[in-house]
Amino acid sequence: MVCPYCKSQENPAKHGTYIRESDGKKCQRYRCKACKKTFSETHFSIDYRLRKRYLNQNVFRSLCSGVSQRRLAIILGVQRAVIARRLLRFGRCAQHNLEVYRRNREKVTRLDFDELETFEHTKCKPITAAIAVEDKTRKVLAIAVGRIPAKGPLVQLARKKYGPRPCERSKCLHALFHDLKDCLGPSGLVKTDKSKAYPPFIRSYLPGWNHEATPGLRGCVVGQGELKASGWDPLFSLNHTYAMFRDGLKRLARRTWCTTKKMGNLTMSLNMYAWFHNLYLDSKQRTQLKLDWNH
Ligand SMILES: [Zn+2]
């Protein structure tokens, strides 16, 4: 057990027990030998200091199943803050779990990546979310989020109302590859669309890899732009995963009332959904959010 205060690896000494008030569980306390601070075993669990811990898994699954935060609060009969607090905590937890997952899994040899576009507050303030997916298995490997300026007919209006907006696209792709380096093999196949922005990144971060660029296909008539009309989509793993993000997270759905207000919360939502998605692919019955402390 690692000390949460000084990160000392030395095993802490037992320091008595206490009965947790909210559910009557007996919890073990520990005292760190290095910094002498005490903490309990619950410090490392997903429900640390949350009293309504029976809600947690339900909130996790609902938020990843297209239910909005406000509506979930109504369904469960709780304050909105109860849900909002959990969204942030679950997002951080999922982010950590993804990091551990990248480090411990076998090396990836088939990678797809692209950017999903959404916005904060108004379409004049777009956001790009670069998401890397393992081809075939559809497991989400890494996510990075950044601001981008408005384009098309909104350029003038966006500039007038909100001033200049930085373009963080390349910063975002650098962050994505930085995270990915833990899990990528020395060679493999990377598939993207025909965007001109990607080849320089692939050359510098994936020197031994083959790059296959596919032209974008037209979206199918009903629903999401990510699902393609033609029968065979070479980027199916990627597009299908993106479509699932849009279906699972209410704020990403097209033509929705629920929009992102803060970019940080979007990042947390994306991480939370990514972890849910990976759990779901492993087993459809058991999508249980746990904090993974295996470093
Ligand atoms: Zn300590």
Side-chain angles (χ1 to χ4, degrees):
M1 199 177 288
V2 184
C3 169
Y5 301 105
C6 69
K7 312 289 177 215
S8 159
Q9 299 279 344
E10 199 183 354
N11 262 345
K14 285 191 176 178
H15 197 69
T17 59
Y18 68 98
I19 304 287
R20 187 157 69 187
E21 200 182 326
S22 54
D23 63 349
K25 185 185 183 294
K26 189 175 176 187
C27 305
Q28 179 69 49
R29 281 201 78 75
Y30 294 95
R31 185 160 182 259
C32 172
K33 286 173 188 160
C35 70
K36 311 290 183 210
K37 285 185 178 161
T38 70
F39 54 93
S40 81
E41 56 177 334
T42 60
H43 203 105
F44 306 99
S45 74
I46 183 71
D47 52 16
Y48 177 56
R49 287 194 165 171
L50 291 176
R51 277 176 300 178
K52 293 177 177 164
R53 48 179 57 80
Y54 52 89
L55 292 176
N56 290 349
Q57 298 304 327
N58 196 353
V59 171
F60 171 57
R61 289 179 198 132
S62 303
L63 287 178
C64 295
S65 309
V67 182
S68 69
Q69 293 184 54
R70 276 165 198 256
R71 183 50 58 92
L72 187 56
I74 294 172
I75 294 171
L76 298 175
V78 296
Q79 298 275 329
R80 292 208 303 267
V82 172
I83 309 295
R85 207 179 288 137
R86 279 168 176 76
L87 170 72
L88 296 183
R89 171 164 315 191
F90 295 172
R92 275 197 301 273
C93 170
Q95 200 169 23
H96 172 86
N97 289 358
L98 268 175
E99 251 176 65
V100 174
Y101 170 70
R102 280 196 295 270
R103 247 177 292 147
N104 298 343
R105 60 157 289 149
E106 55 180 272
K107 297 290 180 214
V108 174
T109 54
R110 294 179 69 100
L111 179 76
D112 297 353
F113 75 93
D114 196 7
E115 288 157 278
L116 183 135
E117 266 180 38
T118 177
F119 56 88
E120 51 181 339
H121 167 227
T122 145
K123 287 219 165 169
C124 291
K125 298 192 233 167
I127 289 180
T128 179
I131 305 177
V133 175
E134 188 185 21
D135 199 47
K136 303 279 185 220
T137 66
R138 292 196 273 119
K139 290 276 177 71
V140 179
L141 299 169
I143 293 171
V145 180
R147 295 180 177 84
I148 48 173
K151 52 188 177 187
L154 287 174
V155 172
Q156 301 281 326
L157 179 71
R159 226 165 213 285
K160 202 174 121 203
K161 276 183 100 167
Y162 304 106
R165 188 170 167 82
C167 182
E168 298 174 347
R169 171 166 278 143
S170 69
K171 188 177 137 197
C172 177
L173 287 168
H174 279 297
L176 184 81
F177 280 103
H178 177 81
D179 286 350
L180 277 173
K181 72 177 191 305
D182 289 338
C183 70
L184 294 181
S187 66
L189 176 67
V190 54
K191 291 197 281 185
T192 63
D193 60 20
K194 284 248 172 189
S195 167
K196 290 196 184 72
Y198 301 149
F201 282 93
I202 292 169
R203 278 197 297 275
S204 70
Y205 285 97
L206 304 169
W209 286 53
N210 290 323
H211 180 206
E212 192 181 302
T214 327
L217 296 168
R218 258 190 49 228
C220 68
V221 188
V222 196
Q224 287 121 342
E226 279 81 10
L227 292 179
K228 303 306 177 193
S230 86
W232 165 246
D233 178 6
L235 285 174
F236 173 80
S237 298
L238 185 77
N239 285 324
H240 193 269
T241 306
Y242 279 30
M244 285 187 76
F245 267 87
R246 290 213 185 265
D247 184 54
L249 289 176
K250 179 76 173 172
R251 65 172 72 206
L252 292 183
R254 299 190 186 269
R255 294 172 188 269
T256 172
W257 282 10
C258 301
T259 57
T260 292
K261 311 298 184 294
K262 290 180 184 165
M263 204 172 79
N265 294 5
L266 171 72
T267 313
M268 291 301 119
S269 292
L270 290 170
N271 278 298
M272 183 178 68
Y273 183 79
W275 189 246
F276 174 84
H277 184 84
N278 289 356
L279 286 174
Y280 171 83
L281 288 176
D282 279 339
S283 158
K284 293 190 171 42
Q285 276 78 44
R286 295 173 59 186
T287 45
Q288 186 99 10
L289 180 65
K290 286 188 200 132
L291 197 49
D292 202 342
W293 279 96
N294 305 321
H295 291 274

